Every structure is written in C-alpha cells, then in structure tokens.
Coordinates of all heavy atoms in Angstrom, one line a residue:
M1 N 182.2 106.1 33.1 CA 181.7 104.8 33.4 C 181.9 104.5 34.9 O 183.0 104.5 35.4 CB 182.3 103.7 32.5 CG 182.0 102.3 32.9 SD 182.9 101.1 32.0 CE 181.7 100.7 30.8
P2 N 180.8 104.1 35.6 CA 181.0 103.8 37.1 C 181.9 102.6 37.2 O 181.8 101.6 36.4 CB 179.6 103.6 37.6 CG 178.7 104.2 36.6 CD 179.4 104.2 35.3
Q3 N 182.7 102.6 38.3 CA 183.6 101.5 38.6 C 183.1 100.8 39.9 O 182.4 101.4 40.6 CB 185.0 102.0 38.8 CG 185.7 102.8 37.7 CD 187.0 103.2 38.2 OE1 187.8 102.5 38.8 NE2 187.3 104.5 37.9
N4 N 183.7 99.6 40.1 CA 183.4 98.9 41.3 C 184.8 98.8 42.0 O 185.8 98.7 41.4 CB 182.9 97.5 41.1 CG 181.4 97.6 40.8 OD1 180.7 98.6 41.0 ND2 180.9 96.5 40.2
L5 N 184.7 98.8 43.3 CA 185.9 98.5 44.2 C 185.7 97.2 44.8 O 184.9 97.1 45.8 CB 186.1 99.6 45.2 CG 187.2 99.4 46.2 CD1 188.6 99.5 45.5 CD2 187.1 100.4 47.3
P6 N 186.5 96.2 44.4 CA 186.4 94.9 45.1 C 187.1 95.1 46.4 O 188.2 95.7 46.5 CB 187.1 93.9 44.2 CG 187.7 94.7 43.1 CD 187.3 96.1 43.2
Y7 N 186.5 94.5 47.5 CA 187.2 94.7 48.8 C 186.9 93.4 49.6 O 185.8 93.0 49.8 CB 186.6 95.9 49.5 CG 187.4 96.3 50.8 CD1 188.6 97.0 50.6 CD2 187.0 95.9 52.0 CE1 189.3 97.4 51.7 CE2 187.8 96.2 53.1 CZ 188.9 96.9 53.0 OH 189.7 97.2 54.1
D8 N 188.0 92.8 50.1 CA 187.9 91.6 50.9 C 188.3 91.9 52.4 O 189.3 92.7 52.6 CB 188.7 90.5 50.4 CG 188.3 90.1 49.0 OD1 187.1 90.2 48.7 OD2 189.1 89.6 48.2
V9 N 187.6 91.3 53.3 CA 188.0 91.5 54.7 C 187.9 90.1 55.4 O 187.1 89.3 55.0 CB 187.1 92.5 55.4 CG1 185.7 92.1 55.5 CG2 187.6 92.9 56.7
T10 N 188.7 89.9 56.4 CA 188.7 88.7 57.2 C 188.4 89.2 58.6 O 189.1 90.0 59.2 CB 190.0 87.9 57.2 OG1 190.2 87.5 55.8 CG2 189.8 86.7 58.1
T11 N 187.3 88.7 59.2 CA 186.9 89.1 60.5 C 187.8 88.5 61.6 O 188.5 87.6 61.3 CB 185.4 88.8 60.8 OG1 185.3 87.3 60.9 CG2 184.5 89.3 59.7
A12 N 187.6 89.0 62.8 CA 188.4 88.4 63.9 C 188.1 86.9 64.2 O 188.9 86.2 64.7 CB 188.1 89.2 65.2
T13 N 186.9 86.5 63.7 CA 186.5 85.1 63.9 C 186.9 84.2 62.7 O 186.6 83.1 62.7 CB 185.0 85.0 64.1 OG1 184.3 85.5 63.0 CG2 184.5 85.7 65.4
G14 N 187.6 84.8 61.7 CA 188.1 84.1 60.6 C 187.1 84.1 59.4 O 187.5 83.5 58.4
E15 N 186.0 84.7 59.5 CA 185.1 84.7 58.4 C 185.6 85.7 57.3 O 186.0 86.8 57.6 CB 183.7 85.2 58.9 CG 182.6 85.2 57.8 CD 181.3 85.6 58.3 OE1 181.2 86.2 59.3 OE2 180.3 85.3 57.6
K16 N 185.5 85.2 56.1 CA 186.0 86.1 54.9 C 184.7 86.6 54.3 O 183.8 85.9 54.0 CB 186.8 85.3 54.0 CG 188.1 84.8 54.6 CD 188.9 84.0 53.6 CE 190.2 83.7 54.3 NZ 190.7 82.3 54.1
I17 N 184.8 88.0 54.0 CA 183.6 88.6 53.4 C 184.2 89.4 52.2 O 185.1 90.2 52.3 CB 182.9 89.6 54.3 CG1 182.5 88.9 55.6 CG2 181.7 90.2 53.7 CD1 182.0 89.8 56.7
A18 N 183.6 89.2 51.0 CA 184.0 89.8 49.8 C 182.9 90.8 49.3 O 181.7 90.4 49.2 CB 184.2 88.8 48.7
F19 N 183.3 92.0 49.1 CA 182.4 93.1 48.6 C 182.7 93.5 47.2 O 183.8 93.4 46.8 CB 182.5 94.3 49.5 CG 182.2 94.1 51.0 CD1 183.2 93.6 51.9 CD2 181.0 94.3 51.5 CE1 182.9 93.4 53.2 CE2 180.7 94.2 52.8 CZ 181.7 93.7 53.7
E20 N 181.7 94.1 46.6 CA 181.9 94.8 45.3 C 181.2 96.1 45.5 O 180.0 96.3 45.3 CB 181.2 94.1 44.1 CG 182.1 93.0 43.5 CD 183.3 93.4 42.8 OE1 183.2 94.5 42.1 OE2 184.3 92.7 42.8
F21 N 182.0 97.1 45.9 CA 181.4 98.5 46.2 C 181.3 99.3 44.9 O 182.4 99.5 44.3 CB 182.2 99.2 47.2 CG 182.1 98.7 48.6 CD1 183.2 98.1 49.2 CD2 180.9 98.8 49.3 CE1 183.1 97.6 50.5 CE2 180.8 98.3 50.6 CZ 181.9 97.7 51.2
P22 N 180.2 99.7 44.5 CA 180.1 100.6 43.4 C 180.7 102.0 43.8 O 180.4 102.5 44.9 CB 178.6 100.8 43.1 CG 177.9 99.6 43.8 CD 178.8 99.3 45.0
L23 N 181.5 102.5 43.0 CA 182.1 103.8 43.2 C 181.2 105.0 42.6 O 180.7 104.8 41.6 CB 183.5 103.9 42.7 CG 184.5 103.0 43.4 CD1 185.9 103.0 42.7 CD2 184.7 103.3 44.9
H24 N 181.2 106.1 43.3 CA 180.5 107.3 42.8 C 181.1 107.7 41.5 O 182.3 107.5 41.2 CB 180.6 108.4 43.8 CG 179.8 109.6 43.5 ND1 180.2 110.6 42.7 CD2 178.5 109.9 43.9 CE1 179.2 111.5 42.6 NE2 178.2 111.1 43.4
A25 N 180.3 108.2 40.6 CA 180.8 108.6 39.2 C 181.9 109.6 39.3 O 182.7 109.7 38.4 CB 179.6 109.1 38.4
E26 N 181.9 110.4 40.3 CA 183.0 111.4 40.4 C 184.2 111.0 41.3 O 185.0 111.9 41.7 CB 182.4 112.7 40.9 CG 181.3 113.3 40.0 CD 180.7 114.6 40.4 OE1 181.5 115.4 41.1 OE2 179.6 114.8 40.2
T27 N 184.3 109.7 41.6 CA 185.4 109.2 42.4 C 186.7 109.6 41.6 O 186.8 109.2 40.4 CB 185.3 107.7 42.6 OG1 184.1 107.5 43.4 CG2 186.5 107.2 43.4
Q28 N 187.7 110.2 42.3 CA 188.9 110.6 41.6 C 190.0 109.5 41.7 O 190.8 109.4 40.8 CB 189.4 111.8 42.2 CG 188.5 113.0 41.9 CD 189.1 114.3 42.5 OE1 190.3 114.5 42.7 NE2 188.2 115.3 42.6
S29 N 189.9 108.6 42.8 CA 191.0 107.6 42.9 C 190.4 106.4 43.7 O 190.3 106.5 44.9 CB 192.2 108.2 43.6 OG 193.1 107.1 43.9
A30 N 190.2 105.3 42.9 CA 189.7 104.1 43.6 C 190.8 103.6 44.6 O 190.5 103.1 45.6 CB 189.4 103.0 42.5
M31 N 192.1 103.8 44.2 CA 193.1 103.3 45.1 C 193.1 104.1 46.4 O 193.3 103.5 47.4 CB 194.5 103.5 44.4 CG 195.6 103.0 45.3 SD 197.3 103.1 44.7 CE 197.3 104.1 43.3
R32 N 192.9 105.4 46.3 CA 192.9 106.2 47.5 C 191.7 105.8 48.4 O 191.8 105.8 49.6 CB 192.8 107.7 47.2 CG 193.0 108.6 48.4 CD 194.4 108.6 49.0 NE 195.3 109.2 48.1 CZ 196.6 108.8 47.9 NH1 197.0 107.7 48.6 NH2 197.4 109.4 47.1
V33 N 190.5 105.6 47.8 CA 189.4 105.1 48.5 C 189.7 103.8 49.3 O 189.4 103.7 50.5 CB 188.1 104.9 47.6 CG1 187.0 104.2 48.3 CG2 187.7 106.2 47.0
S34 N 190.3 102.9 48.6 CA 190.7 101.6 49.2 C 191.7 101.8 50.3 O 191.6 101.2 51.4 CB 191.3 100.7 48.2 OG 191.7 99.5 48.7
Q35 N 192.7 102.7 50.1 CA 193.7 103.0 51.2 C 193.0 103.6 52.4 O 193.3 103.3 53.6 CB 194.8 103.9 50.7 CG 195.7 103.3 49.7 CD 196.6 104.3 49.0 OE1 196.2 105.4 48.8 NE2 197.7 103.8 48.5
L36 N 192.1 104.5 52.2 CA 191.4 105.2 53.3 C 190.5 104.2 54.1 O 190.4 104.2 55.3 CB 190.5 106.4 52.8 CG 191.4 107.6 52.4 CD1 190.5 108.6 51.7 CD2 192.0 108.2 53.7
L37 N 189.8 103.3 53.3 CA 189.0 102.3 54.0 C 189.9 101.4 54.8 O 189.5 101.0 55.9 CB 188.2 101.5 52.9 CG 187.3 100.4 53.4 CD1 186.3 100.9 54.4 CD2 186.6 99.7 52.2
N38 N 191.0 100.9 54.3 CA 192.0 100.1 55.1 C 192.4 100.8 56.3 O 192.5 100.2 57.4 CB 193.2 99.8 54.2 CG 192.9 98.7 53.2 OD1 192.1 97.8 53.4 ND2 193.7 98.7 52.2
A39 N 192.7 102.1 56.2 CA 193.1 102.9 57.4 C 192.0 103.0 58.4 O 192.3 102.9 59.6 CB 193.6 104.3 56.9
V40 N 190.8 103.3 58.0 CA 189.7 103.5 58.9 C 189.5 102.1 59.7 O 189.4 102.1 60.9 CB 188.4 103.9 58.2 CG1 187.2 103.8 59.1 CG2 188.6 105.4 57.8
L41 N 189.4 101.0 58.9 CA 189.1 99.7 59.5 C 190.2 99.3 60.4 O 190.0 98.7 61.4 CB 188.7 98.7 58.4 CG 187.4 99.0 57.7 CD1 187.2 97.9 56.6 CD2 186.2 99.0 58.7
G42 N 191.5 99.5 59.9 CA 192.6 99.1 60.7 C 192.7 99.9 62.1 O 192.9 99.3 63.1
S43 N 192.4 101.2 62.0 CA 192.4 102.0 63.2 C 191.3 101.5 64.2 O 191.5 101.4 65.4 CB 192.2 103.5 62.9 OG 192.1 104.3 64.0
L44 N 190.2 101.2 63.6 CA 189.0 100.8 64.4 C 189.4 99.4 65.1 O 189.1 99.3 66.3 CB 187.8 100.6 63.5 CG 186.5 100.3 64.2 CD1 186.1 101.4 65.2 CD2 185.4 100.2 63.1
D45 N 190.0 98.5 64.3 CA 190.4 97.2 64.9 C 191.4 97.4 66.0 O 191.3 96.8 67.1 CB 191.0 96.3 63.8 CG 190.0 95.7 62.9 OD1 188.7 95.8 63.2 OD2 190.4 95.2 61.8
R46 N 192.4 98.3 65.9 CA 193.4 98.5 66.9 C 192.7 99.1 68.2 O 193.0 98.7 69.3 CB 194.5 99.5 66.4 CG 195.4 98.8 65.5 CD 196.6 99.7 65.1 NE 196.2 100.9 64.4 CZ 196.0 101.0 63.1 NH1 196.1 99.9 62.4 NH2 195.6 102.1 62.6
E47 N 191.8 100.1 68.0 CA 191.1 100.7 69.1 C 190.2 99.6 69.9 O 190.2 99.6 71.1 CB 190.3 101.8 68.7 CG 191.1 103.1 68.3 CD 191.9 103.6 69.5 OE1 191.4 103.7 70.6 OE2 193.1 103.9 69.3
L48 N 189.6 98.8 69.1 CA 188.7 97.8 69.8 C 189.5 96.8 70.5 O 189.0 96.3 71.6 CB 187.8 97.1 68.7 CG 186.7 98.0 68.1 CD1 186.0 97.3 67.0 CD2 185.7 98.4 69.2
R49 N 190.7 96.4 70.1 CA 191.6 95.5 70.8 C 191.9 96.1 72.2 O 192.0 95.5 73.2 CB 192.8 95.2 70.0 CG 192.6 94.1 69.0 CD 193.9 93.5 68.5 NE 194.7 94.4 67.7 CZ 194.6 94.7 66.4 NH1 193.6 94.1 65.7 NH2 195.4 95.6 65.8
V50 N 192.1 97.5 72.2 CA 192.5 98.2 73.4 C 191.3 98.3 74.4 O 191.4 98.1 75.6 CB 193.1 99.5 73.1 CG1 193.3 100.3 74.4 CG2 194.5 99.4 72.4
L51 N 190.2 98.7 73.8 CA 189.0 99.0 74.5 C 188.3 97.8 75.1 O 187.6 97.8 76.1 CB 187.9 99.7 73.7 CG 188.3 101.1 73.2 CD1 187.3 101.7 72.2 CD2 188.5 102.1 74.4
G52 N 188.5 96.6 74.4 CA 187.9 95.4 74.9 C 186.4 95.3 74.4 O 186.1 95.9 73.4
N53 N 185.6 94.7 75.2 CA 184.2 94.4 74.8 C 183.5 95.7 74.5 O 183.3 96.5 75.3 CB 183.5 93.6 75.9 CG 182.2 93.0 75.4 OD1 181.9 93.0 74.2 ND2 181.4 92.7 76.4
T54 N 183.1 95.9 73.2 CA 182.4 97.0 72.8 C 181.2 96.6 71.9 O 181.4 95.8 71.0 CB 183.3 98.0 71.9 OG1 184.4 98.3 72.7 CG2 182.6 99.2 71.5
A55 N 180.0 97.1 72.2 CA 178.8 96.7 71.4 C 178.9 97.2 70.0 O 179.4 98.3 69.7 CB 177.6 97.4 72.1
N56 N 178.5 96.3 69.1 CA 178.5 96.6 67.6 C 177.7 97.9 67.3 O 178.1 98.7 66.5 CB 178.0 95.4 66.8 CG 179.0 94.3 66.7 OD1 180.2 94.5 66.6 ND2 178.5 93.1 66.8
G57 N 176.6 98.0 68.1 CA 175.8 99.3 67.9 C 176.5 100.5 68.2 O 176.4 101.6 67.5
D58 N 177.4 100.4 69.2 CA 178.2 101.6 69.6 C 179.2 101.9 68.5 O 179.5 103.1 68.2 CB 178.9 101.4 70.9 CG 178.0 101.3 72.1 OD1 176.8 101.6 72.0 OD2 178.4 101.0 73.2
V59 N 179.8 100.9 67.9 CA 180.8 101.1 66.8 C 180.1 101.7 65.7 O 180.5 102.7 65.1 CB 181.4 99.7 66.4 CG1 182.3 99.9 65.2 CG2 182.2 99.2 67.6
M60 N 178.9 101.2 65.3 CA 178.2 101.7 64.1 C 177.7 103.2 64.4 O 177.8 104.0 63.5 CB 177.0 100.8 63.8 CG 177.4 99.5 63.3 SD 176.1 98.3 63.1 CE 175.1 99.2 61.9
Q61 N 177.3 103.5 65.6 CA 176.9 104.8 65.9 C 178.1 105.8 65.8 O 178.0 106.9 65.3 CB 176.3 104.9 67.4 CG 175.9 106.3 67.8 CD 175.1 106.2 69.0 OE1 174.0 105.7 69.1 NE2 175.6 106.8 70.1
A62 N 179.3 105.4 66.3 CA 180.4 106.2 66.2 C 180.8 106.5 64.7 O 181.2 107.6 64.3 CB 181.6 105.6 66.9
L63 N 180.7 105.4 63.9 CA 181.0 105.6 62.4 C 180.0 106.5 61.8 O 180.4 107.3 60.9 CB 181.0 104.2 61.7 CG 182.2 103.4 62.1 CD1 182.1 102.0 61.6 CD2 183.5 104.0 61.6
A64 N 178.7 106.4 62.1 CA 177.7 107.3 61.6 C 178.0 108.7 62.0 O 177.8 109.7 61.2 CB 176.3 106.9 62.0
M65 N 178.4 108.9 63.2 CA 178.7 110.3 63.7 C 179.9 110.8 63.0 O 180.0 112.0 62.6 CB 178.9 110.3 65.2 CG 177.7 110.1 66.0 SD 178.1 109.9 67.8 CE 176.5 109.8 68.5
A66 N 180.9 110.0 62.7 CA 182.1 110.4 61.9 C 181.7 110.8 60.5 O 182.2 111.9 60.0 CB 183.1 109.3 61.9
L67 N 180.8 110.1 59.9 CA 180.3 110.6 58.6 C 179.6 111.9 58.7 O 179.8 112.8 57.8 CB 179.3 109.5 58.0 CG 178.6 109.8 56.7 CD1 179.7 110.0 55.6 CD2 177.6 108.8 56.3
A68 N 178.8 112.1 59.8 CA 178.2 113.4 60.0 C 179.2 114.6 60.2 O 179.0 115.7 59.6 CB 177.2 113.4 61.1
V69 N 180.2 114.3 60.9 CA 181.3 115.3 61.2 C 182.0 115.6 59.9 O 182.2 116.8 59.5 CB 182.3 114.8 62.2 CG1 183.5 115.7 62.3 CG2 181.6 114.7 63.6
R70 N 182.4 114.6 59.1 CA 183.0 114.9 57.8 C 182.1 115.6 56.8 O 182.6 116.5 56.1 CB 183.5 113.6 57.2 CG 184.7 112.9 57.9 CD 185.9 113.8 58.0 NE 186.4 114.3 56.7 CZ 187.5 115.0 56.5 NH1 188.3 115.3 57.5 NH2 187.8 115.4 55.3
T71 N 180.8 115.3 56.9 CA 179.9 116.0 56.0 C 179.8 117.5 56.4 O 179.8 118.4 55.6 CB 178.5 115.4 56.2 OG1 178.6 114.0 55.7 CG2 177.4 116.1 55.3
A72 N 179.8 117.8 57.7 CA 179.7 119.2 58.2 C 181.0 119.9 57.9 O 181.0 121.2 57.7 CB 179.4 119.2 59.7
M73 N 182.1 119.2 57.7 CA 183.4 119.9 57.4 C 183.5 120.3 55.9 O 184.5 121.0 55.6 CB 184.5 118.9 57.8 CG 184.6 118.7 59.3 SD 185.8 117.4 59.7 CE 187.4 118.1 59.2
L74 N 182.6 119.8 55.0 CA 182.7 120.1 53.6 C 182.5 121.6 53.4 O 181.7 122.2 54.1 CB 181.7 119.3 52.8 CG 181.9 117.8 52.8 CD1 180.7 117.2 52.0 CD2 183.2 117.4 52.1
H75 N 183.2 122.2 52.5 CA 183.0 123.6 52.1 C 181.9 123.6 51.0 O 182.2 124.0 49.8 CB 184.3 124.2 51.7 CG 185.3 124.3 52.8 ND1 185.2 125.3 53.7 CD2 186.4 123.6 53.1 CE1 186.1 125.2 54.6 NE2 186.9 124.1 54.2
S76 N 180.7 123.3 51.4 CA 179.6 123.4 50.5 C 178.3 123.5 51.4 O 178.4 123.3 52.6 CB 179.5 122.1 49.6 OG 179.2 121.0 50.4
P77 N 177.2 123.9 50.8 CA 176.0 123.9 51.6 C 175.7 122.6 52.3 O 175.9 121.5 51.6 CB 174.9 124.3 50.6 CG 175.6 125.0 49.5 CD 177.0 124.3 49.4
Y78 N 175.3 122.6 53.5 CA 175.2 121.3 54.3 C 174.2 120.4 53.5 O 174.5 119.2 53.5 CB 174.6 121.6 55.7 CG 174.5 120.3 56.4 CD1 175.7 119.7 56.9 CD2 173.3 119.7 56.6 CE1 175.6 118.4 57.6 CE2 173.2 118.4 57.3 CZ 174.3 117.8 57.8 OH 174.3 116.6 58.4
A79 N 173.2 120.9 52.9 CA 172.2 120.0 52.2 C 172.9 119.2 51.1 O 172.5 118.1 50.8 CB 171.0 120.8 51.7
V80 N 173.8 119.8 50.4 CA 174.6 119.2 49.3 C 175.4 118.0 49.9 O 175.4 116.9 49.4 CB 175.5 120.2 48.5 CG1 176.4 119.5 47.6 CG2 174.6 121.2 47.9
G81 N 176.1 118.3 50.9 CA 176.9 117.3 51.6 C 176.1 116.2 52.2 O 176.4 115.0 52.1
Q82 N 175.0 116.6 52.8 CA 174.1 115.6 53.4 C 173.5 114.6 52.3 O 173.5 113.4 52.5 CB 172.9 116.3 54.1 CG 172.0 115.3 54.8 CD 170.8 116.0 55.4 OE1 170.4 117.1 55.0 NE2 170.2 115.4 56.4
Q83 N 173.1 115.2 51.2 CA 172.6 114.3 50.1 C 173.7 113.4 49.6 O 173.4 112.2 49.4 CB 172.1 115.2 48.9 CG 171.5 114.4 47.8 CD 171.0 115.2 46.7 OE1 170.8 116.4 46.8 NE2 170.6 114.6 45.6
L84 N 174.9 113.9 49.4 CA 176.0 113.0 48.9 C 176.3 111.9 50.0 O 176.4 110.7 49.6 CB 177.3 113.8 48.7 CG 178.5 113.0 48.3 CD1 178.2 112.3 47.0 CD2 179.7 114.0 48.2
A85 N 176.4 112.3 51.3 CA 176.6 111.3 52.3 C 175.5 110.2 52.4 O 175.8 109.0 52.5 CB 176.8 112.0 53.6
T86 N 174.3 110.7 52.2 CA 173.2 109.7 52.3 C 173.2 108.8 51.1 O 173.1 107.5 51.2 CB 171.8 110.5 52.3 OG1 171.8 111.3 53.4 CG2 170.7 109.6 52.3
E87 N 173.5 109.3 49.9 CA 173.6 108.4 48.7 C 174.8 107.4 48.8 O 174.7 106.3 48.5 CB 173.8 109.3 47.5 CG 172.6 110.1 47.1 CD 172.8 111.1 45.9 OE1 173.9 111.1 45.3 OE2 171.9 111.9 45.6
L88 N 175.9 107.9 49.3 CA 177.1 107.1 49.4 C 176.9 106.0 50.4 O 177.2 104.8 50.2 CB 178.4 107.9 49.8 CG 178.9 108.8 48.7 CD1 180.0 109.7 49.3 CD2 179.3 108.1 47.5
A89 N 176.3 106.3 51.6 CA 176.0 105.3 52.6 C 175.0 104.3 52.1 O 175.1 103.1 52.3 CB 175.5 106.0 53.9
A90 N 173.9 104.7 51.4 CA 172.9 103.8 50.9 C 173.5 102.9 49.8 O 173.2 101.6 49.8 CB 171.8 104.6 50.2
T91 N 174.4 103.4 49.0 CA 175.1 102.5 48.0 C 176.0 101.5 48.6 O 176.0 100.3 48.3 CB 175.9 103.4 47.0 OG1 175.0 104.3 46.3 CG2 176.6 102.6 46.0
A92 N 176.7 101.9 49.6 CA 177.6 101.0 50.3 C 176.8 99.9 51.1 O 177.2 98.7 51.1 CB 178.6 101.8 51.3
L93 N 175.7 100.3 51.7 CA 174.9 99.4 52.5 C 174.3 98.4 51.5 O 174.1 97.2 51.8 CB 173.9 100.1 53.3 CG 174.5 100.8 54.5 CD1 173.4 101.7 55.1 CD2 175.0 99.8 55.6
A94 N 173.9 98.8 50.3 CA 173.3 97.9 49.3 C 174.3 96.9 48.9 O 174.0 95.7 48.7 CB 172.7 98.7 48.2
A95 N 175.6 97.3 48.7 CA 176.6 96.4 48.4 C 176.9 95.4 49.5 O 177.1 94.2 49.2 CB 177.9 97.2 48.0
A96 N 176.8 95.8 50.7 CA 177.0 94.9 51.8 C 175.9 93.9 51.9 O 176.1 92.7 52.3 CB 177.0 95.7 53.2
A97 N 174.7 94.2 51.5 CA 173.6 93.3 51.5 C 173.8 92.2 50.5 O 173.3 91.1 50.6 CB 172.3 94.0 51.1
N98 N 174.7 92.4 49.5 CA 175.0 91.4 48.4 C 176.4 90.8 48.6 O 176.9 90.2 47.6 CB 174.8 92.0 47.1 CG 173.4 92.5 46.8 OD1 172.4 91.7 47.1 ND2 173.1 93.7 46.5
C99 N 177.1 91.0 49.7 CA 178.4 90.5 49.8 C 178.4 89.0 49.9 O 177.4 88.4 50.2 CB 179.1 91.1 51.0 SG 178.4 90.7 52.6
E100 N 179.6 88.4 49.6 CA 179.7 87.0 49.7 C 180.5 86.6 51.0 O 181.5 87.2 51.3 CB 180.5 86.4 48.5 CG 179.8 86.6 47.2 CD 180.5 86.0 46.0 OE1 181.4 85.1 46.3 OE2 180.3 86.5 44.9
R101 N 179.9 85.8 51.8 CA 180.5 85.4 53.1 C 181.0 83.9 53.0 O 180.3 83.1 52.5 CB 179.4 85.5 54.1 CG 178.9 86.9 54.3 CD 177.8 86.9 55.3 NE 178.3 87.1 56.6 CZ 178.4 88.3 57.2 NH1 178.0 89.4 56.7 NH2 178.9 88.3 58.4
D102 N 182.2 83.7 53.5 CA 182.8 82.4 53.6 C 183.2 82.2 55.0 O 184.2 82.7 55.5 CB 184.0 82.3 52.7 CG 184.7 81.0 52.7 OD1 184.2 80.0 53.4 OD2 185.8 80.8 52.1
E103 N 182.4 81.4 55.7 CA 182.7 81.1 57.1 C 183.8 80.1 57.3 O 184.1 79.8 58.5 CB 181.4 80.7 57.8 CG 180.3 81.8 57.8 CD 179.0 81.4 58.5 OE1 179.0 80.5 59.3 OE2 178.0 82.1 58.2
G104 N 184.3 79.5 56.3 CA 185.4 78.5 56.4 C 184.8 77.2 56.9 O 183.6 77.0 57.0
A105 N 185.7 76.4 57.2 CA 185.4 75.0 57.7 C 184.8 75.1 59.1 O 185.2 75.9 59.9 CB 186.6 74.1 57.7
V106 N 183.7 74.4 59.3 CA 183.0 74.4 60.6 C 183.3 73.0 61.2 O 183.3 72.0 60.6 CB 181.5 74.6 60.4 CG1 180.8 74.5 61.8 CG2 181.2 75.9 59.7
G107 N 183.6 73.0 62.5 CA 183.9 71.8 63.2 C 185.4 71.4 63.1 O 186.2 72.3 63.0
H108 N 185.6 70.2 63.3 CA 187.0 69.7 63.3 C 187.6 69.3 62.0 O 188.7 68.8 61.9 CB 187.2 68.5 64.3 CG 186.9 68.9 65.7 ND1 186.4 70.1 66.1 CD2 187.1 68.2 66.8 CE1 186.3 70.1 67.4 NE2 186.6 69.0 67.9
G109 N 186.8 69.5 60.9 CA 187.2 69.2 59.5 C 187.8 67.8 59.4 O 188.6 67.3 58.9

C-alpha cells in the first residue's frame, strides 16, 4: 500500500508550507527519505546563507543537475533510472502543487 510522507517547512520569510508527498511503492524507509530531505534542504540553506543573493532558478537548476548525477550513478541501464527519476520528480511536483501555505499574520496584527 502506498504511503504518504507529511513534510512541513518554514521558509526564511516565516511562511509555513505543509506537504503530503506520496512515496514510491518500493520505498524502503520513509524515515530515511525524510532524513535525507532534511539533510539536503539544510545543506542548501547553509550554502545559500554563505553565498548570499542567489537566483531561485539557479538553485532549481543545481538540484535538477544533482538528480541527473545521482541517476547516472545508479547501477542499472540509464533509461531505467531516467524513468524512475522522472516519475519521482513528477509525483513530488504534483504534491507541491497541492501543498498548504500559511503566510502567518500580515501587518502589525
């Protein structure tokens, strides 16, 4: 039975975003997926604080390239890894389209 991974994040501007990521049927550990996601986003946040002003498109391009690199590193025919990476990215992006955003109080409350 497919599982969902609830995932909440607070942006640098204080906006809270809640996701429900569907996990692939062959996911071995939802906890490990969550830990890796935390590590990737934490590392990215630390680097962006050091680098300073960085375009969102540049960040997204680097993440897409990282997915391509990890796909090429799989010990399987590239087409198999490419199909899996494409499916996983599409599923995650669909979940992001349905996330719940809480911008918090606006103004002086």
Side-chain angles (χ1 to χ4, degrees):
M1 170 188 264
Q3 300 178 47
N4 284 340
L5 175 68
Y7 192 82
D8 297 334
V9 66
T10 301
T11 68
T13 60
E15 182 178 20
K16 294 179 176 138
I17 308 173
F19 299 88
E20 278 289 327
F21 288 113
L23 294 172
H24 188 272
E26 295 181 35
T27 298
Q28 293 183 20
S29 172
M31 181 180 12
R32 189 68 71 218
V33 171
S34 180
Q35 289 170 331
L36 288 167
L37 180 55
N38 283 334
V40 168
L41 292 176
S43 177
L44 188 60
D45 285 346
R46 285 188 298 279
E47 287 300 314
L48 290 173
R49 281 194 295 273
V50 171
L51 295 173
N53 192 18
T54 303
N56 285 322
D58 292 352
V59 174
M60 292 174 62
Q61 182 170 294
L63 289 169
M65 290 175 175
L67 178 59
V69 169
R70 289 301 304 185
T71 300
M73 293 170 67
L74 295 175
H75 292 285
S76 65
Y78 182 75
V80 172
Q82 181 184 24
Q83 180 178 351
L84 177 60
T86 300
E87 289 172 8
L88 292 172
T91 298
L93 288 169
N98 297 309
C99 66
E100 294 183 25
R101 302 175 85 97
D102 178 7
E103 296 180 20
V106 177
H108 294 8

